Amino acid sequence: MAPQAVAGLASCLGLFSRLLRSHPPARCFQVNAAKKAKAAGDEASLALSAEQQERIRKNKEAARQRLLERNVPPGFGESWARQLAAEFSKPYFVELMAFVAEERKRHTVYPPPEQVFTWTQMCDIRDVKVVILGQDPYHGPKQAHGLCFSVQRPVPPPPSLENIYKELSEDIEGFTHPGHGDLTGWAKQGVLLLNAVLTVRAHQATSHKERGWEQFTDAVVSWLNKNLHGLVFMLWGAYAQRKGSSIDRKRHHVLQTVHPSPLSVNRGFFGCRHFSKTNEFLKKSGKKPIDWKAL
């Protein structure tokens, strides 16, 4: 063999020997085992991370809900707050609450704070069956208590409510004047008695209009319209009919006539038979009819 070839072979053997000394087979095996263990650990870590991610997601959602609930106004029904919570942090609602608070410092405002949202306390939001839309709370002492057309006992029923009772006595067999104006008995059965504006300065009708209440109550109507089926909406007068203009007539039932005010009652409210018609619609939908006499 040529001297150059022998020298080259010796050099290669020397390099191989040094490699064996620096990376013995046992150590190579250990390195490979460590890599496999790390890969297995990574897989376990990934599986655990998926569980952790789900836990983190739930925790974030719970934290978000708690944050939203911080803004819930006093007296707001729990089931309603869960569905409408997003409204409470919107700039218009924050400004609205600040406005009402300032109004209460300077003026008498109706209804009292704990009764502004009475309509959310009467039944679960998903148990609503009938919606009657009003415009503005009564602005006299001890009248308004968070249900449209309704007044606290022993305040006598206002003229519009008296006309509602007259129509009921003609429409519903056995209905007699209850001797008061408190409609809580209807609200507990799933009749939402919702004014478009929820507060008013004493003796100043519509004094809190266009301050944000209309946007909020539009959101309430919108939620009901989109999430429930077979509701009966009673829209009395042009104002209520405009507010209810977006209601899905294929999804819900809409009854319209003039307002029961003495100024318009004889132009279609008397004889409208909305109360018996409502119960017919509810029965067809498989729902329990309203006992209008339960006041």
Side-chain angles (χ1 to χ4, degrees):
M1 183 179 289
Q4 295 89 342
V6 171
L9 180 60
S11 176
C12 286
L13 288 172
L15 177 61
F16 182 67
S17 177
R18 287 196 298 275
L19 284 171
L20 284 176
R21 285 196 301 272
S22 61
H23 294 86
R27 185 174 176 185
C28 290
F29 176 78
Q30 290 170 352
V31 169
N32 289 336
K35 287 181 178 178
K36 288 179 181 179
K38 183 177 183 301
D42 288 344
E43 289 179 7
S45 176
L46 287 173
L48 183 61
S49 294
E51 294 173 5
Q52 289 175 331
Q53 286 174 5
E54 177 61 15
R55 201 175 301 124
I56 290 169
R57 187 193 67 77
K58 288 181 178 179
N59 288 340
K60 282 183 177 179
E61 177 60 26
R64 187 186 72 85
Q65 192 64 31
R66 285 194 297 272
L67 184 62
L68 290 172
E69 288 172 357
R70 287 182 188 175
N71 299 319
V72 176
F76 209 94
E78 184 178 343
S79 69
W80 297 75
R82 283 197 300 270
Q83 305 304 331
L84 299 168
E87 297 299 311
F88 303 143
S89 58
K90 291 181 179 179
Y92 87 88
F93 195 85
V94 174
E95 292 172 11
L96 170 61
M97 291 296 97
F99 164 74
V100 173
E102 190 62 29
E103 280 282 283
R104 290 194 188 279
K105 291 178 184 177
R106 300 183 179 188
H107 310 279
T108 298
V109 173
Y110 300 129
E114 67 275 10
Q115 293 181 329
V116 172
F117 302 107
T118 298
W119 49 277
T120 69
Q121 301 166 12
M122 298 291 101
C123 72
D124 189 284
I125 191 171
R126 293 190 178 276
D127 291 335
V128 171
K129 296 187 284 189
V130 181
V131 181
I132 299 178
L133 295 179
Q135 182 172 354
D136 201 48
Y138 296 121
H139 52 79
K142 298 182 180 179
Q143 287 184 308
H145 65 127
L147 303 174
C148 74
F149 292 105
S150 180
V151 291
Q152 302 179 79
R153 306 183 199 202
V155 177
S160 292
L161 183 52
E162 286 287 5
N163 288 332
I164 290 171
Y165 286 163
K166 288 178 183 177
E167 174 60 20
L168 275 160
S169 66
E170 296 294 325
D171 187 23
I172 300 297
E173 185 178 353
F175 182 89
T176 57
H177 195 298
H180 60 82
D182 185 352
L183 304 180
T184 298
W186 293 356
K188 288 181 176 179
Q189 297 179 69
V191 180
L192 174 61
L193 299 163
L194 180 66
N195 274 318
V197 176
L198 299 182
T199 56
V200 66
R201 194 185 297 178
H203 311 299
Q204 296 186 39
T206 69
S207 51
H208 286 185
K209 72 174 184 178
E210 297 176 1
R211 292 287 186 167
W213 281 129
E214 295 90 341
Q215 184 174 345
F216 176 67
T217 52
D218 279 346
V220 174
V221 173
S222 177
W223 190 94
L224 295 169
N225 179 47
K226 294 176 181 176
N227 292 279
L228 301 183
H229 291 80
L231 297 183
V232 182
F233 286 86
M234 295 188 188
L235 307 180
W236 299 336
Y239 186 91
Q241 288 160 20
R242 284 195 299 273
K243 193 167 186 68
S245 60
S246 63
I247 295 166
D248 185 345
R249 264 68 170 176
K250 294 180 181 179
R251 189 183 183 101
H252 304 288
H253 309 287
V254 177
L255 297 172
Q256 297 188 176
T257 189
V258 298
H259 195 277
S261 159
L263 298 174
S264 57
V265 70
N266 289 305
R267 298 203 301 268
F269 187 83
F270 284 152
C272 70
R273 303 185 68 81
H274 279 188
F275 305 97
S276 59
K277 289 178 181 177
T278 290
N279 279 350
E280 290 171 10
F281 284 134
L282 293 177
K283 288 176 185 176
K284 288 179 181 177
S285 298
K287 299 178 182 180
K288 184 179 179 180
I290 304 300
D291 182 359
W292 301 106
K293 296 176 285 186
L295 290 173

